[in-house]
Amino acid sequence: MAVLQDIVDAYQGKIVKPSETLIHKTTHLLQDGMNMRAFGEYEKPKALGDARWTDELILSTWYMAETGEVPDNLNFKTGKSDGGFDRLDFQFLPESDWLEHSEAIDTKLPLNRRGDEKNKIEIDIPWYGGGMSYGSVSVNVMMSRAKNARQWNSFMSTGEGGYPPELYEVKENVITQVATGYFGVEEETIQAAPIIEFKYAQGAKPGLGGHLLAAKAGEEVAKLRGSVPFVSLFSPFPFHSTYSVEDHSKHLDWIETVNPKAILSVKVSTPHDVDMVAVGSYYAGAHIIHLDGGYGGTGAAPEIAKKNIAMPIELAIPKVHKFLQKEGVRDKVTIIASGGVRTADDIAKAIALGADGCVLGTTDLVGMGCTRCSNCEGGPSGRGCPWGLTTTDIELQEWVQQDWGAKRLDNLYTAMQWRLRDILRKLGLSNVRELRGRTDLLKYIGKEAGE
Amino acid sequence: MLESATHVGLQATDGPLTIDQFGAESARIGRSIADEYHRYHIETEEVDDADPLPHRFLVKVGKVGLAKLIGKEALKYFGQFDVILARPCTYGVFSGPVGGFVPRPKLCVGCLRCEVQHPEFVKVLPNPDLLTLGDSYTTPGHITAIDEEAKKGMVPVRGQGYRGRFGGPGFDGMLTDMSEIVRPSRDGIHGRELIGTAVDIGSKPMHLSFDSNGKLSGSIPEMFTIQVPFIFDLPPGDLGTPQLASVVDSTSRRIDTLACLDAHTVARLGLDAPNIVPVLDNTEASRVSEFPNARLIELRSSPDRPWGWDAAGFDIATEATDAMIGIRIHFEEGWQNRMTQAVESGVKVIHLLADLHGRGSDDTFVTELFKEAHMLLIEQGRRDTVTLFGGGGIVGADHVPKAIISGLDAVTLDLPVLFALQGRSNGSLRQRKQVAGTLPRHLDQDWAEQRLTNLCGSWRDQLLEILGAMGIREVRRLRGEFGRSMIVKHLEDEAFEGIAGYVGGDC
């Protein structure tokens, strides 16, 4: 009877927790398939990639996530978006002046520059993982990222979906996000975190608040968020307790009261006056100004919001950096850039434009198999990502196993750190912090005739 | 409250009202007024396809390879049917009675899991037929977006970030601004606060004048209101069929906007109504009296004076009707003078037209042209005396707010109507007269009206998203708010100044 039921279930497409055998089969097929593509054993899929994430960028990320090395025959540096990072390059020194490629090239980044009594945090690489909520992604994906963050003495943000209990295992490397819906924001989750991140806005949907469509707001997700299962969750915008810089300051005071040691990150989008927003946040008490540009990733956003509202991160970084310099507070605050930062080259360019470090989101997902098909919001099936990334579907989420995911990200970060050091040594810099604001080390690649 | 309530109709009593009576009566009147209030909303409803676009992907499955896989797995996983029957697609491409042997590509979303999982015998390819839609300006991306919006009537929501080029020409080179801590924002988007999309058509005096008795002595506002800042324009090229006229008529009535239709068609089909804007040649200006129900009638240039301003025609028309007379002006050389002359003559509605790629005759893009027109009227101290419509190149929901930021009161829609109704174009879509297209053979009126209504509902909701992000409470305030936009070229100049090799945003 059980066999017959399996046949009926499979034929009817009934969703059940997969058996160990099915998990084993599927994960191996997927992992082998990714490797065969990344290693060039099969041609590049014709439908893979877009202007921002080209087929080669996706495949090279898969390659790095598998091997921990940068590929020889794939462009792992830039996309083809015809602007921003994709038109910037470095002005390397003559080869005779390059430094040795060595672990002595320092990639550490301090996050608290205010000199106050709060946590003195320094991460080993100038980037950490951006917020992806439980509900937008599975616990397996969250834990993969968090375990990798621990491996790299870095961080991963919870996003706005609460704090799954599993995360307490790695709480030293988890940022608790406080966003406008306050999902999962409790004293316990605030006290658990070394860094608290206020999400005022998100680059992919500036001014609009979070979206979790009904199909993905299942029982477990709703339980953690304190909401009704299978009801779409559109977070308000803005914080309905914050309508001024004074309110913003009081907002930060609230966190300080609950967790006096936590350092505070303020995540904002990139409107025209982002420079003034940054200064206001600094004076309100922020340690980190997190700028999220208009080309950033998301689990779900109105298409019109992507790209059309607010500016790309490449254009916001110099604006904020220069303004904070002018105000004399640049060295008191850490600028973190995200929203379209894909590669080690992008990270180095962002730093050269004036950021201290970056936040990665989509890159992590691509490392674990994402093809950027844009069905994270649920897609026609309503079940979310068929690769098991942006889903809490009881079957699909099993396609990403935590240890595998963490290892993929570890490898990817290894390759990215290698490349970052490679860039630094070719610029004659022994420390990533020396790169900040060095636009003199960049060059703009103009269009060639006929382009 | 006392004064207005009394005025509205407080019940007469034998003596002075007690406080309680007054309170009860005021509440009754207030309730009555509230019950009559209707929050504007466009009712959308998903409709089926009549002539579906080519699907995005083709799915090729090697049948021998699939058979071998099934055989191999049947042996390897003998008896474990959940494993053997598992398919690498959650969308049903490989479902159905014969599984992957007859894939269903219309269900494919391009996740590529199947192709990665089974590289030996599965291929997913972009459908070349889709790429043949539209032209270099109105791209397959625009057309598929319009098609989805017209089908579902919803704001398209997707995962992952932006996939396209950095900035770009035309509307892509303009970004809209937002604010981090403003209202009404998302509350407005979801209807808990009001964000108004109504616009006034006509003329407001720049100031009011009163006589010595305190009564108005000068001109007073001559306006009517439509509920969305977009109207349907004349169908371009050969698309002006009676069926289409009937569809835009009923849709514009349903959503409370306007539809420009050729006056001969209006007369022949008996469509004269307040929502219809008959369009006449200048030489036929005297015929305006044939449309007694129209609130607005537009005059277009005569064939013998293709780009000229015809004051005589306007005077004749004004004499013959109480309706407002609008003038259609193409962005051809000297348009600024023609617009100025028209406004000086008392024209209250100017309908500016670029080609369908959004370019004037000197190749300037409409955002610059609309801005120039808006600023010209401001410099002349006349902006509020005139309503500016503008059309040409509006093929995406984001183009509406961007055009309004550039200075328009309302935009006019042309090609989106064709694609909302699942029509097909043939050849270039740049010159209005040369547009060749076909609509579905059997254009069902109800289906078509719902499709257009859905498109308008979706575009209005997307406009609310943009307004909400800015914290702007009504679209009228967006007009000419250049500070609510950012030009990528300018931002690049500021950000990349001093970087070796950077020579300006146009490089």
Side-chain angles (χ1 to χ4, degrees):
Chain A
M1 278 305 288
V3 169
L4 186 61
Q5 189 61 50
D6 281 348
I7 296 172
V8 172
D9 288 350
Y11 187 77
Q12 292 180 338
K14 186 174 177 184
I15 301 164
V16 293
K17 185 172 170 56
S19 65
E20 286 301 318
T21 311
L22 181 54
I23 293 171
H24 183 268
K25 170 193 152 180
T26 305
T27 53
H28 277 76
L29 281 171
L30 282 172
Q31 292 160 17
D32 291 348
M34 276 192 275
N35 290 339
M36 285 190 280
R37 297 290 183 182
F39 297 155
E41 291 174 33
Y42 286 89
E43 63 177 337
K44 297 171 198 139
K46 294 277 193 300
L48 182 66
D50 53 65
R52 292 204 56 79
W53 276 88
T54 60
D55 53 358
E56 294 210 9
L57 216 45
I58 292 172
L59 293 174
S60 63
T61 305
W62 289 0
Y63 183 95
M64 290 187 280
E66 181 63 23
T67 64
E69 296 174 0
V70 297
D72 294 328
N73 53 358
L74 293 168
N75 179 355
F76 60 90
K77 301 171 186 171
T78 53
K80 292 180 179 173
S81 72
D82 198 22
F85 291 138
D86 292 341
R87 288 230 169 252
L88 291 172
D89 202 351
F90 299 99
Q91 298 199 79
F92 291 132
L93 296 171
E95 192 168 344
S96 55
D97 295 336
W98 291 358
L99 306 178
E100 285 293 310
H101 202 305
S102 152
E103 291 187 3
I105 295 176
D106 185 356
T107 59
K108 288 186 166 60
L109 177 68
L111 297 179
N112 180 358
R113 292 156 190 258
R114 294 186 80 101
D116 57 19
E117 296 303 311
K118 294 176 184 293
N119 294 323
K120 303 285 185 289
I121 296 173
E122 186 174 70
I123 53 178
D124 288 352
I125 41 176
W127 70 85
Y128 57 84
M132 292 184 206
S133 67
Y134 175 56
S136 76
V137 296
S138 67
V139 166
N140 282 352
V141 169
M142 293 183 93
M143 287 301 292
S144 297
R145 300 180 76 217
K147 286 179 176 177
N148 179 57
R150 182 173 59 185
Q151 180 75 15
W152 282 88
N153 182 35
S154 187
F155 287 91
M156 178 221 64
S157 169
T158 59
E160 186 195 16
Y163 205 102
E166 292 88 337
L167 283 183
Y168 283 102
E169 179 190 326
V170 283
K171 64 180 183 180
E172 290 80 11
N173 300 91
V174 174
I175 297 169
T176 294
Q177 186 180 89
V178 179
T180 56
Y182 293 97
F183 296 124
V185 177
E186 296 162 7
E187 288 188 359
E188 190 182 10
T189 60
I190 293 171
Q191 287 167 340
I195 303 175
I196 304 293
E197 175 180 276
F198 280 94
K199 187 184 90 168
Y200 274 81
Q202 183 179 341
K205 46 192 168 189
L208 301 179
H211 287 53
L212 187 72
L213 302 191
K216 285 179 70 177
E219 301 277 353
E220 291 300 316
V221 173
K223 188 175 167 187
L224 205 61
R225 293 183 179 221
S227 65
V228 178
F230 301 107
V231 171
S232 291
L233 296 173
F234 295 107
S235 298
F237 184 90
F239 279 110
H240 279 1
S241 53
T242 307
Y243 293 106
S244 65
V245 172
E246 300 95 303
D247 289 343
H248 174 43
S249 177
K250 286 167 186 140
H251 220 172
L252 300 186
D253 285 348
W254 158 53
I255 294 296
E256 190 169 19
T257 305
V258 180
N259 184 349
K261 296 295 282 182
I263 68 170
L264 305 172
S265 170
V266 176
K267 178 178 178 180
V268 295
S269 187
T270 51
H272 193 264
D273 52 4
V274 61
D275 44 0
M276 284 182 277
V277 171
V279 167
S281 285
Y282 166 74
Y283 282 112
H287 299 81
I288 298 169
I289 310 291
H290 176 174
L291 309 173
D292 197 25
Y295 295 167
T298 177
E303 286 290 278
I304 193 171
K306 299 174 188 173
K307 185 242 181 188
N308 287 310
I309 309 178
M311 69 176 86
I313 194 63
E314 297 94 319
L315 308 181
I317 296 168
K319 190 178 180 73
V320 173
H321 172 66
K322 289 175 195 168
F323 195 64
L324 291 176
Q325 275 183 327
K326 192 174 151 200
E327 292 290 309
V329 298
R330 180 63 187 89
D331 289 330
K332 298 286 186 186
V333 67
T334 301
I335 297 179
I336 294 293
S338 67
V341 179
R342 303 155 295 183
T343 63
D345 285 61
D346 286 356
I347 292 170
K349 290 169 191 172
I351 294 171
L353 286 170
D356 292 290
C358 292
V359 150
L360 300 180
T362 301
T363 303
D364 285 2
L365 295 184
V366 173
M368 290 187 279
C370 170
T371 53
R372 297 233 327 146
C373 70
S374 298
N375 292 288
C376 330
E377 88 290 352
S381 71
R383 297 172 64 191
C385 174
W387 292 77
L389 293 159
T390 55
T391 181
T392 50
D393 180 276
I394 55 171
E395 179 190 49
L396 299 176
Q397 66 179 352
E398 298 298 334
W399 306 156
V400 176
Q401 296 293 304
Q402 290 180 23
D403 290 341
W404 173 82
K407 183 60 186 166
R408 291 280 292 187
L409 295 179
D410 182 23
N411 287 340
L412 176 60
Y413 282 24
T414 300
M416 290 176 69
Q417 188 191 41
W418 184 93
R419 173 58 184 164
L420 179 61
R421 284 180 167 143
D422 192 43
I423 292 168
L424 292 170
R425 77 189 183 96
K426 290 173 179 171
L427 294 170
L429 304 177
S430 59
N431 185 325
V432 72
R433 298 180 295 281
E434 293 171 13
L435 180 60
R436 190 184 79 187
R438 293 289 304 275
T439 51
D440 59 307
L441 300 178
L442 293 172
K443 61 183 175 185
Y444 192 88
I445 311 298
K447 290 182 183 174
E448 293 175 8
E451 244 191 296
Chain B
M1 181 64 195
L2 177 60
E3 189 176 23
S4 75
T6 304
H7 177 73
V8 169
L10 204 58
Q11 297 297 309
T13 63
D14 293 337
L17 287 175
T18 65
I19 288 289
D20 286 348
Q21 284 173 323
F22 171 73
E25 196 63 7
S26 296
R28 186 188 66 76
I29 293 167
R31 185 71 261 160
S32 167
I33 293 169
D35 287 347
E36 288 171 14
Y37 175 72
H38 170 66
R39 174 73 68 87
Y40 179 76
H41 178 67
I42 297 176
E43 292 292 338
T44 60
E45 180 186 332
E46 184 164 344
V47 289
D48 293 333
D49 292 319
D51 186 6
L53 297 180
H55 34 262
R56 291 169 61 202
F57 300 103
L58 302 176
V59 181
K60 308 281 186 194
V61 178
K63 294 180 174 54
V64 175
L66 177 59
K68 279 185 186 171
L69 176 81
I70 292 172
K72 186 176 149 192
E73 292 198 340
L75 291 173
K76 185 174 179 181
Y77 303 112
F78 183 74
Q80 299 180 72
F81 289 98
D82 63 321
V83 182
I84 297 167
L85 293 174
R87 292 288 173 267
C89 184
T90 59
Y91 304 104
V93 174
F94 304 122
S95 301
V98 280
F101 288 101
V102 185
R104 300 190 283 193
K106 70 177 182 182
L107 300 176
C108 179
V109 301
C111 75
L112 305 183
R113 193 183 130 189
C114 57
E115 189 176 3
V116 170
Q117 196 168 319
H118 300 292
E120 324 85 57
F121 60 88
V122 182
K123 273 192 194 313
V124 177
L125 306 166
N127 188 347
D129 290 346
L130 192 66
L131 302 178
T132 63
L133 298 176
D135 68 357
S136 60
Y137 182 87
T138 305
T139 64
H142 291 123
I143 293 169
T144 52
I146 290 170
D147 186 68
E148 181 187 347
E149 290 157 345
K151 179 182 175 68
K152 297 180 178 174
M154 296 171 70
V155 175
V157 173
R158 299 246 197 297
Q160 276 299 355
Y162 173 61
R163 301 164 63 89
R165 62 181 292 177
F166 189 98
F171 286 115
D172 287 342
M174 178 192 274
L175 308 171
T176 63
D177 205 15
M178 55 80 70
S179 294
E180 304 285 346
I181 50 174
V182 291
R183 289 177 79 98
S185 150
R186 179 146 288 280
D187 278 347
I189 294 164
H190 289 287
R192 294 188 290 267
E193 290 185 58
L194 175 68
I195 299 180
T197 56
V199 287
D200 302 320
I201 311 299
S203 174
K204 282 188 281 190
M206 298 304 290
H207 58 85
L208 295 175
S209 302
F210 298 90
D211 63 19
S212 56
N213 295 320
K215 292 188 176 172
L216 280 170
S217 63
S219 55
I220 58 171
E222 293 178 56
M223 294 183 298
F224 62 90
T225 301
I226 57 175
Q227 291 298 324
V228 285
F230 39 82
I231 70 173
F232 301 117
D233 199 5
L234 289 176
D238 63 359
L239 298 172
T241 63
Q243 294 100 316
L244 188 61
S246 178
V247 171
V248 294
D249 167 40
S250 60
T251 309
S252 60
R253 203 171 336 117
R254 178 168 167 184
I255 65 171
D256 194 0
T257 185
L258 300 171
C260 298
L261 288 173
D262 179 78
H264 300 91
T265 303
V266 176
R268 191 170 69 250
L269 301 179
L271 297 178
D272 178 36
N275 60 299
I276 296 296
V277 181
V279 180
L280 283 159
D281 288 347
N282 266 324
T283 52
E284 303 173 302
S286 61
R287 291 189 56 193
V288 295
S289 59
E290 295 174 25
F291 308 100
N293 296 312
R295 292 179 290 180
L296 172 65
I297 298 170
E298 287 191 349
L299 297 180
R300 62 183 162 199
S301 307
S302 312
D304 58 332
R305 296 187 66 193
W307 313 118
W309 154 243
D310 188 344
F314 174 69
D315 290 342
I316 292 168
T318 307
E319 283 297 312
T321 181
D322 290 333
M324 272 180 230
I325 301 298
I327 301 294
R328 296 169 74 89
I329 295 178
H330 289 260
F331 284 119
E332 298 287 341
E333 188 180 350
W335 66 265
Q336 298 92 336
N337 287 337
R338 285 189 287 280
M339 185 179 80
T340 300
Q341 290 167 16
V343 176
E344 283 174 350
S345 300
V347 173
K348 298 179 177 64
V349 176
I350 301 284
H351 187 157
L352 299 164
L353 292 156
D355 68 29
L356 297 176
H357 284 193
R359 301 277 170 185
S361 61
D362 64 354
D363 213 36
T364 305
F365 193 67
V366 280
T367 47
E368 289 301 313
L369 294 167
F370 295 154
K371 184 176 178 180
E372 187 179 350
H374 174 74
M375 290 307 297
L376 191 60
L377 291 169
I378 286 179
E379 285 159 15
Q380 294 170 356
R382 296 176 172 139
R383 182 62 186 91
D384 278 344
T385 67
V386 185
T387 296
L388 283 185
F389 292 158
I394 311 285
V395 292
D398 62 302
H399 299 172
V400 175
K402 289 175 179 175
I404 293 171
I405 285 173
S406 301
L408 295 184
D409 292 283
V411 304
T412 60
L413 306 181
D414 32 55
L415 288 175
V417 174
L418 168 68
F419 296 115
L421 302 182
Q422 298 197 308
R424 298 287 191 274
S425 63
N426 182 16
S428 169
L429 293 171
R430 181 158 193 170
Q431 301 303 331
R432 288 170 194 279
K433 287 185 178 172
Q434 291 166 12
V435 168
T438 52
L439 290 163
R441 183 172 295 180
H442 303 293
L443 192 66
D444 179 79
Q445 172 76 24
D446 292 341
W447 175 89
E449 182 185 318
Q450 190 60 55
R451 292 274 305 189
L452 263 193
T453 301
N454 285 349
L455 179 73
C456 293
S458 173
W459 280 26
R460 178 177 183 267
D461 284 349
Q462 291 178 75
L463 177 62
L464 293 182
E465 300 271 9
I466 296 283
L467 292 169
M470 293 176 186
I472 284 189
R473 200 174 286 278
E474 59 172 338
V475 76
R476 285 178 286 213
R477 276 193 53 213
L478 193 62
R479 184 188 78 185
E481 278 265 8
F482 309 136
R484 297 287 187 170
S485 68
M486 298 179 280
I487 306 301
V488 173
K489 189 170 67 171
H490 301 164
L491 295 172
E492 284 183 317
D493 289 346
E494 185 185 344
F496 298 153
E497 180 190 15
I499 292 179
Y502 184 75
V503 291
D506 283 331
C507 66

